[in-house]
PDB file of all heavy atoms in Angstrom:
ATOM      1  N   VAL A 147     166.040 151.705 -93.437  1.00 92.00           N
ATOM      2  CA  VAL A 147     165.376 150.566 -94.134  1.00 92.00           C
ATOM      3  C   VAL A 147     165.231 149.378 -93.187  1.00 92.00           C
ATOM      4  O   VAL A 147     164.205 148.681 -93.142  1.00 92.00           O
ATOM      5  CB  VAL A 147     166.144 150.179 -95.375  1.00 92.00           C
ATOM      6  CG1 VAL A 147     165.492 148.974 -96.067  1.00 92.00           C
ATOM      7  CG2 VAL A 147     166.243 151.354 -96.342  1.00 92.00           C
ATOM      8  N   LEU A 148     166.323 149.128 -92.421  1.00 93.00           N
ATOM      9  CA  LEU A 148     166.263 148.020 -91.444  1.00 93.00           C
ATOM     10  C   LEU A 148     165.176 148.250 -90.406  1.00 93.00           C
ATOM     11  O   LEU A 148     164.548 147.276 -89.959  1.00 93.00           O
ATOM     12  CB  LEU A 148     167.652 147.864 -90.756  1.00 93.00           C
ATOM     13  CG  LEU A 148     167.784 146.715 -89.788  1.00 93.00           C
ATOM     14  CD1 LEU A 148     167.544 145.358 -90.488  1.00 93.00           C
ATOM     15  CD2 LEU A 148     169.162 146.705 -89.152  1.00 93.00           C
ATOM     16  N   VAL A 149     165.002 149.465 -89.977  1.00 93.00           N
ATOM     17  CA  VAL A 149     163.966 149.796 -88.985  1.00 93.00           C
ATOM     18  C   VAL A 149     162.563 149.433 -89.528  1.00 93.00           C
ATOM     19  O   VAL A 149     161.776 148.821 -88.867  1.00 93.00           O
ATOM     20  CB  VAL A 149     164.048 151.297 -88.606  1.00 93.00           C
ATOM     21  CG1 VAL A 149     162.742 151.690 -87.892  1.00 93.00           C
ATOM     22  CG2 VAL A 149     165.217 151.558 -87.705  1.00 93.00           C
ATOM     23  N   VAL A 150     162.312 149.822 -90.758  1.00 93.00           N
ATOM     24  CA  VAL A 150     161.005 149.567 -91.387  1.00 93.00           C
ATOM     25  C   VAL A 150     160.796 148.044 -91.514  1.00 93.00           C
ATOM     26  O   VAL A 150     159.724 147.526 -91.168  1.00 93.00           O
ATOM     27  CB  VAL A 150     160.918 150.247 -92.753  1.00 93.00           C
ATOM     28  CG1 VAL A 150     159.615 149.875 -93.450  1.00 93.00           C
ATOM     29  CG2 VAL A 150     160.970 151.741 -92.602  1.00 93.00           C
ATOM     30  N   ILE A 151     161.832 147.353 -92.031  1.00 94.00           N
ATOM     31  CA  ILE A 151     161.681 145.884 -92.223  1.00 94.00           C
ATOM     32  C   ILE A 151     161.528 145.184 -90.869  1.00 94.00           C
ATOM     33  O   ILE A 151     160.666 144.307 -90.723  1.00 94.00           O
ATOM     34  CB  ILE A 151     162.922 145.348 -92.957  1.00 94.00           C
ATOM     35  CG1 ILE A 151     162.979 145.915 -94.387  1.00 94.00           C
ATOM     36  CG2 ILE A 151     162.873 143.841 -93.001  1.00 94.00           C
ATOM     37  CD1 ILE A 151     164.242 145.556 -95.157  1.00 94.00           C
ATOM     38  N   GLY A 152     162.359 145.580 -89.895  1.00 93.00           N
ATOM     39  CA  GLY A 152     162.256 144.925 -88.579  1.00 93.00           C
ATOM     40  C   GLY A 152     160.898 145.192 -87.904  1.00 93.00           C
ATOM     41  O   GLY A 152     160.339 144.261 -87.301  1.00 93.00           O
ATOM     42  N   ALA A 153     160.402 146.415 -88.033  1.00 93.00           N
ATOM     43  CA  ALA A 153     159.085 146.703 -87.399  1.00 93.00           C
ATOM     44  C   ALA A 153     157.994 145.913 -88.073  1.00 93.00           C
ATOM     45  O   ALA A 153     157.116 145.347 -87.346  1.00 93.00           O
ATOM     46  CB  ALA A 153     158.783 148.207 -87.543  1.00 93.00           C
ATOM     47  N   LEU A 154     157.998 145.809 -89.380  1.00 93.00           N
ATOM     48  CA  LEU A 154     156.970 145.034 -90.075  1.00 93.00           C
ATOM     49  C   LEU A 154     157.086 143.527 -89.714  1.00 93.00           C
ATOM     50  O   LEU A 154     156.047 142.851 -89.568  1.00 93.00           O
ATOM     51  CB  LEU A 154     157.085 145.230 -91.583  1.00 93.00           C
ATOM     52  CG  LEU A 154     156.680 146.616 -92.118  1.00 93.00           C
ATOM     53  CD1 LEU A 154     157.015 146.713 -93.607  1.00 93.00           C
ATOM     54  CD2 LEU A 154     155.196 146.878 -91.868  1.00 93.00           C
ATOM     55  N   LEU A 155     158.293 143.032 -89.617  1.00 93.00           N
ATOM     56  CA  LEU A 155     158.495 141.599 -89.325  1.00 93.00           C
ATOM     57  C   LEU A 155     158.012 141.254 -87.919  1.00 93.00           C
ATOM     58  O   LEU A 155     157.350 140.242 -87.706  1.00 93.00           O
ATOM     59  CB  LEU A 155     159.969 141.248 -89.445  1.00 93.00           C
ATOM     60  CG  LEU A 155     160.518 141.102 -90.874  1.00 93.00           C
ATOM     61  CD1 LEU A 155     162.016 140.805 -90.827  1.00 93.00           C
ATOM     62  CD2 LEU A 155     159.808 139.996 -91.634  1.00 93.00           C
ATOM     63  N   ILE A 156     158.306 142.123 -86.921  1.00 92.00           N
ATOM     64  CA  ILE A 156     157.866 141.776 -85.557  1.00 92.00           C
ATOM     65  C   ILE A 156     156.361 141.822 -85.405  1.00 92.00           C
ATOM     66  O   ILE A 156     155.766 140.975 -84.763  1.00 92.00           O
ATOM     67  CB  ILE A 156     158.568 142.721 -84.535  1.00 92.00           C
ATOM     68  CG1 ILE A 156     158.340 142.193 -83.085  1.00 92.00           C
ATOM     69  CG2 ILE A 156     158.043 144.127 -84.634  1.00 92.00           C
ATOM     70  CD1 ILE A 156     159.048 140.948 -82.749  1.00 92.00           C
ATOM     71  N   MET A 157     155.722 142.773 -86.087  1.00 91.00           N
ATOM     72  CA  MET A 157     154.231 142.831 -86.017  1.00 91.00           C
ATOM     73  C   MET A 157     153.615 141.689 -86.784  1.00 91.00           C
ATOM     74  O   MET A 157     152.614 141.123 -86.363  1.00 91.00           O
ATOM     75  CB  MET A 157     153.762 144.202 -86.583  1.00 91.00           C
ATOM     76  CG  MET A 157     154.071 145.340 -85.640  1.00 91.00           C
ATOM     77  SD  MET A 157     153.294 146.919 -86.119  1.00 91.00           S
ATOM     78  CE  MET A 157     154.360 147.377 -87.515  1.00 91.00           C
ATOM     79  N   ALA A 158     154.211 141.320 -87.926  1.00 91.00           N
ATOM     80  CA  ALA A 158     153.672 140.188 -88.720  1.00 91.00           C
ATOM     81  C   ALA A 158     153.898 138.876 -87.926  1.00 91.00           C
ATOM     82  O   ALA A 158     153.012 137.992 -87.933  1.00 91.00           O
ATOM     83  CB  ALA A 158     154.412 140.115 -90.050  1.00 91.00           C
ATOM     84  N   ALA A 159     155.012 138.749 -87.217  1.00 91.00           N
ATOM     85  CA  ALA A 159     155.242 137.528 -86.426  1.00 91.00           C
ATOM     86  C   ALA A 159     154.221 137.398 -85.327  1.00 91.00           C
ATOM     87  O   ALA A 159     153.719 136.276 -85.074  1.00 91.00           O
ATOM     88  CB  ALA A 159     156.668 137.567 -85.867  1.00 91.00           C
ATOM     89  N   VAL A 160     153.884 138.488 -84.665  1.00 88.00           N
ATOM     90  CA  VAL A 160     152.882 138.440 -83.594  1.00 88.00           C
ATOM     91  C   VAL A 160     151.531 138.076 -84.146  1.00 88.00           C
ATOM     92  O   VAL A 160     150.794 137.249 -83.592  1.00 88.00           O
ATOM     93  CB  VAL A 160     152.844 139.786 -82.847  1.00 88.00           C
ATOM     94  CG1 VAL A 160     151.690 139.767 -81.846  1.00 88.00           C
ATOM     95  CG2 VAL A 160     154.147 140.013 -82.088  1.00 88.00           C
ATOM     96  N   GLU A 161     151.169 138.687 -85.287  1.00 85.00           N
ATOM     97  CA  GLU A 161     149.884 138.378 -85.898  1.00 85.00           C
ATOM     98  C   GLU A 161     149.806 136.921 -86.334  1.00 85.00           C
ATOM     99  O   GLU A 161     148.780 136.226 -86.167  1.00 85.00           O
ATOM    100  CB  GLU A 161     149.629 139.304 -87.122  1.00 85.00           C
ATOM    101  CG  GLU A 161     149.232 140.720 -86.747  1.00 85.00           C
ATOM    102  CD  GLU A 161     147.882 140.803 -86.091  1.00 85.00           C
ATOM    103  OE1 GLU A 161     147.006 139.969 -86.431  1.00 85.00           O
ATOM    104  OE2 GLU A 161     147.680 141.643 -85.204  1.00 85.00           O
ATOM    105  N   LEU A 162     150.902 136.412 -86.897  1.00 88.00           N
ATOM    106  CA  LEU A 162     150.934 135.016 -87.345  1.00 88.00           C
ATOM    107  C   LEU A 162     150.827 134.088 -86.143  1.00 88.00           C
ATOM    108  O   LEU A 162     150.123 133.071 -86.202  1.00 88.00           O
ATOM    109  CB  LEU A 162     152.246 134.777 -88.093  1.00 88.00           C
ATOM    110  CG  LEU A 162     152.390 133.390 -88.757  1.00 88.00           C
ATOM    111  CD1 LEU A 162     151.339 133.215 -89.859  1.00 88.00           C
ATOM    112  CD2 LEU A 162     153.764 133.203 -89.344  1.00 88.00           C
ATOM    113  N   PHE A 163     151.482 134.441 -85.045  1.00 87.00           N
ATOM    114  CA  PHE A 163     151.384 133.633 -83.828  1.00 87.00           C
ATOM    115  C   PHE A 163     149.959 133.570 -83.322  1.00 87.00           C
ATOM    116  O   PHE A 163     149.455 132.535 -82.922  1.00 87.00           O
ATOM    117  CB  PHE A 163     152.309 134.259 -82.770  1.00 87.00           C
ATOM    118  CG  PHE A 163     152.162 133.607 -81.404  1.00 87.00           C
ATOM    119  CD1 PHE A 163     152.836 132.435 -81.076  1.00 87.00           C
ATOM    120  CD2 PHE A 163     151.376 134.218 -80.428  1.00 87.00           C
ATOM    121  CE1 PHE A 163     152.671 131.869 -79.842  1.00 87.00           C
ATOM    122  CE2 PHE A 163     151.210 133.643 -79.172  1.00 87.00           C
ATOM    123  CZ  PHE A 163     151.890 132.461 -78.905  1.00 87.00           C
ATOM    124  N   ASN A 164     149.289 134.741 -83.334  1.00 81.00           N
ATOM    125  CA  ASN A 164     147.915 134.782 -82.826  1.00 81.00           C
ATOM    126  C   ASN A 164     146.962 133.978 -83.695  1.00 81.00           C
ATOM    127  O   ASN A 164     145.974 133.387 -83.202  1.00 81.00           O
ATOM    128  CB  ASN A 164     147.433 136.231 -82.742  1.00 81.00           C
ATOM    129  CG  ASN A 164     148.043 136.997 -81.577  1.00 81.00           C
ATOM    130  OD1 ASN A 164     148.527 136.376 -80.617  1.00 81.00           O
ATOM    131  ND2 ASN A 164     148.070 138.310 -81.676  1.00 81.00           N
ATOM    132  N   ARG A 165     147.226 133.925 -85.006  1.00 82.00           N
ATOM    133  CA  ARG A 165     146.292 133.275 -85.904  1.00 82.00           C
ATOM    134  C   ARG A 165     146.557 131.755 -86.031  1.00 82.00           C
ATOM    135  O   ARG A 165     145.613 130.975 -86.249  1.00 82.00           O
ATOM    136  CB  ARG A 165     146.382 133.898 -87.303  1.00 82.00           C
ATOM    137  CG  ARG A 165     145.900 135.344 -87.323  1.00 82.00           C
ATOM    138  CD  ARG A 165     146.076 135.945 -88.713  1.00 82.00           C
ATOM    139  NE  ARG A 165     145.726 137.360 -88.731  1.00 82.00           N
ATOM    140  CZ  ARG A 165     144.498 137.801 -88.956  1.00 82.00           C
ATOM    141  NH1 ARG A 165     143.521 136.926 -89.177  1.00 82.00           N
ATOM    142  NH2 ARG A 165     144.250 139.091 -88.975  1.00 82.00           N
ATOM    143  N   LYS A 166     147.784 131.319 -85.891  1.00 84.00           N
ATOM    144  CA  LYS A 166     148.138 129.949 -86.204  1.00 84.00           C
ATOM    145  C   LYS A 166     148.414 129.037 -84.990  1.00 84.00           C
ATOM    146  O   LYS A 166     148.172 127.836 -85.076  1.00 84.00           O
ATOM    147  CB  LYS A 166     149.386 129.920 -87.112  1.00 84.00           C
ATOM    148  CG  LYS A 166     149.189 130.643 -88.449  1.00 84.00           C
ATOM    149  CD  LYS A 166     148.113 129.971 -89.306  1.00 84.00           C
ATOM    150  CE  LYS A 166     147.969 130.658 -90.660  1.00 84.00           C
ATOM    151  NZ  LYS A 166     146.894 130.039 -91.472  1.00 84.00           N
ATOM    152  N   SER A 167     148.878 129.622 -83.873  1.00 85.00           N
ATOM    153  CA  SER A 167     149.228 128.765 -82.759  1.00 85.00           C
ATOM    154  C   SER A 167     148.025 128.644 -81.781  1.00 85.00           C
ATOM    155  O   SER A 167     147.169 129.511 -81.712  1.00 85.00           O
ATOM    156  CB  SER A 167     150.422 129.331 -82.025  1.00 85.00           C
ATOM    157  OG  SER A 167     150.057 130.501 -81.316  1.00 85.00           O
ATOM    158  N   ILE A 168     148.012 127.580 -80.994  1.00 85.00           N
ATOM    159  CA  ILE A 168     146.918 127.347 -80.056  1.00 85.00           C
ATOM    160  C   ILE A 168     146.967 128.404 -78.962  1.00 85.00           C
ATOM    161  O   ILE A 168     145.922 128.826 -78.439  1.00 85.00           O
ATOM    162  CB  ILE A 168     147.022 125.929 -79.459  1.00 85.00           C
ATOM    163  CG1 ILE A 168     145.754 125.643 -78.626  1.00 85.00           C
ATOM    164  CG2 ILE A 168     148.306 125.738 -78.690  1.00 85.00           C
ATOM    165  CD1 ILE A 168     145.667 124.202 -78.181  1.00 85.00           C
ATOM    166  N   TYR A 169     148.201 128.812 -78.564  1.00 83.00           N
ATOM    167  CA  TYR A 169     148.311 129.873 -77.523  1.00 83.00           C
ATOM    168  C   TYR A 169     147.827 131.229 -78.077  1.00 83.00           C
ATOM    169  O   TYR A 169     147.199 131.992 -77.353  1.00 83.00           O
ATOM    170  CB  TYR A 169     149.747 129.944 -77.037  1.00 83.00           C
ATOM    171  CG  TYR A 169     150.256 128.666 -76.458  1.00 83.00           C
ATOM    172  CD1 TYR A 169     151.124 127.859 -77.183  1.00 83.00           C
ATOM    173  CD2 TYR A 169     149.834 128.228 -75.196  1.00 83.00           C
ATOM    174  CE1 TYR A 169     151.570 126.643 -76.650  1.00 83.00           C
ATOM    175  CE2 TYR A 169     150.294 127.049 -74.650  1.00 83.00           C
ATOM    176  CZ  TYR A 169     151.156 126.240 -75.376  1.00 83.00           C
ATOM    177  OH  TYR A 169     151.590 125.061 -74.864  1.00 83.00           O
ATOM    178  N   GLY A 170     148.145 131.457 -79.326  1.00 82.00           N
ATOM    179  CA  GLY A 170     147.683 132.690 -79.957  1.00 82.00           C
ATOM    180  C   GLY A 170     146.173 132.726 -80.087  1.00 82.00           C
ATOM    181  O   GLY A 170     145.546 133.785 -79.890  1.00 82.00           O
ATOM    182  N   LYS A 171     145.573 131.617 -80.341  1.00 85.00           N
ATOM    183  CA  LYS A 171     144.126 131.541 -80.413  1.00 85.00           C
ATOM    184  C   LYS A 171     143.466 131.787 -79.070  1.00 85.00           C
ATOM    185  O   LYS A 171     142.382 132.348 -78.967  1.00 85.00           O
ATOM    186  CB  LYS A 171     143.685 130.175 -81.013  1.00 85.00           C
ATOM    187  CG  LYS A 171     144.027 130.053 -82.467  1.00 85.00           C
ATOM    188  CD  LYS A 171     143.645 128.658 -83.019  1.00 85.00           C
ATOM    189  CE  LYS A 171     144.020 128.557 -84.508  1.00 85.00           C
ATOM    190  NZ  LYS A 171     143.713 127.215 -85.082  1.00 85.00           N
ATOM    191  N   ALA A 172     144.183 131.382 -78.013  1.00 88.00           N
ATOM    192  CA  ALA A 172     143.677 131.675 -76.668  1.00 88.00           C
ATOM    193  C   ALA A 172     143.704 133.197 -76.407  1.00 88.00           C
ATOM    194  O   ALA A 172     142.812 133.744 -75.777  1.00 88.00           O
ATOM    195  CB  ALA A 172     144.560 130.986 -75.616  1.00 88.00           C
ATOM    196  N   VAL A 173     144.751 133.860 -76.940  1.00 85.00           N
ATOM    197  CA  VAL A 173     144.816 135.320 -76.821  1.00 85.00           C
ATOM    198  C   VAL A 173     143.668 135.956 -77.584  1.00 85.00           C
ATOM    199  O   VAL A 173     143.025 136.899 -77.072  1.00 85.00           O
ATOM    200  CB  VAL A 173     146.170 135.834 -77.348  1.00 85.00           C
ATOM    201  CG1 VAL A 173     146.198 137.350 -77.443  1.00 85.00           C
ATOM    202  CG2 VAL A 173     147.320 135.323 -76.506  1.00 85.00           C
ATOM    203  N   VAL A 174     143.419 135.496 -78.813  1.00 83.00           N
ATOM    204  CA  VAL A 174     142.330 136.045 -79.619  1.00 83.00           C
ATOM    205  C   VAL A 174     141.010 135.820 -78.934  1.00 83.00           C
ATOM    206  O   VAL A 174     140.133 136.732 -78.877  1.00 83.00           O
ATOM    207  CB  VAL A 174     142.348 135.408 -81.028  1.00 83.00           C
ATOM    208  CG1 VAL A 174     141.097 135.875 -81.806  1.00 83.00           C
ATOM    209  CG2 VAL A 174     143.624 135.804 -81.746  1.00 83.00           C
ATOM    210  N   ALA A 175     140.798 134.647 -78.377  1.00 87.00           N
ATOM    211  CA  ALA A 175     139.526 134.293 -77.696  1.00 87.00           C
ATOM    212  C   ALA A 175     139.319 135.213 -76.472  1.00 87.00           C
ATOM    213  O   ALA A 175     138.221 135.711 -76.237  1.00 87.00           O
ATOM    214  CB  ALA A 175     139.507 132.824 -77.242  1.00 87.00           C
ATOM    215  N   THR A 176     140.409 135.459 -75.753  1.00 85.00           N
ATOM    216  CA  THR A 176     140.299 136.337 -74.570  1.00 85.00           C
ATOM    217  C   THR A 176     140.020 137.753 -75.008  1.00 85.00           C
ATOM    218  O   THR A 176     139.232 138.453 -74.324  1.00 85.00           O
ATOM    219  CB  THR A 176     141.601 136.277 -73.777  1.00 85.00           C
ATOM    220  OG1 THR A 176     141.889 134.916 -73.406  1.00 85.00           O
ATOM    221  CG2 THR A 176     141.519 137.097 -72.503  1.00 85.00           C
ATOM    222  N   SER A 177     140.586 138.194 -76.093  1.00 83.00           N
ATOM    223  CA  SER A 177     140.320 139.555 -76.548  1.00 83.00           C
ATOM    224  C   SER A 177     138.904 139.741 -77.038  1.00 83.00           C
ATOM    225  O   SER A 177     138.320 140.804 -76.916  1.00 83.00           O
ATOM    226  CB  SER A 177     141.334 139.944 -77.657  1.00 83.00           C
ATOM    227  OG  SER A 177     141.129 139.119 -78.838  1.00 83.00           O
ATOM    228  N   ASN A 178     138.325 138.652 -77.630  1.00 81.00           N
ATOM    229  CA  ASN A 178     136.975 138.747 -78.095  1.00 81.00           C
ATOM    230  C   ASN A 178     135.958 138.793 -76.947  1.00 81.00           C
ATOM    231  O   ASN A 178     135.023 139.567 -76.978  1.00 81.00           O
ATOM    232  CB  ASN A 178     136.658 137.597 -79.026  1.00 81.00           C
ATOM    233  CG  ASN A 178     137.375 137.706 -80.342  1.00 81.00           C
ATOM    234  OD1 ASN A 178     137.712 138.803 -80.800  1.00 81.00           O
ATOM    235  ND2 ASN A 178     137.656 136.562 -80.971  1.00 81.00           N
TER     236      ASN A 178
END
Side-chain angles (χ1 to χ4, degrees):
V147 178
L148 183 61
V149 164
V150 175
I151 294 174
L154 290 174
L155 284 177
I156 192 67
M157 289 188 285
V160 173
E161 284 293 328
L162 187 64
F163 172 83
N164 286 339
R165 293 176 185 273
K166 298 298 183 182
S167 72
I168 188 171
Y169 300 104
K171 290 177 180 178
V173 172
V174 173
T176 303
S177 65
N178 289 334

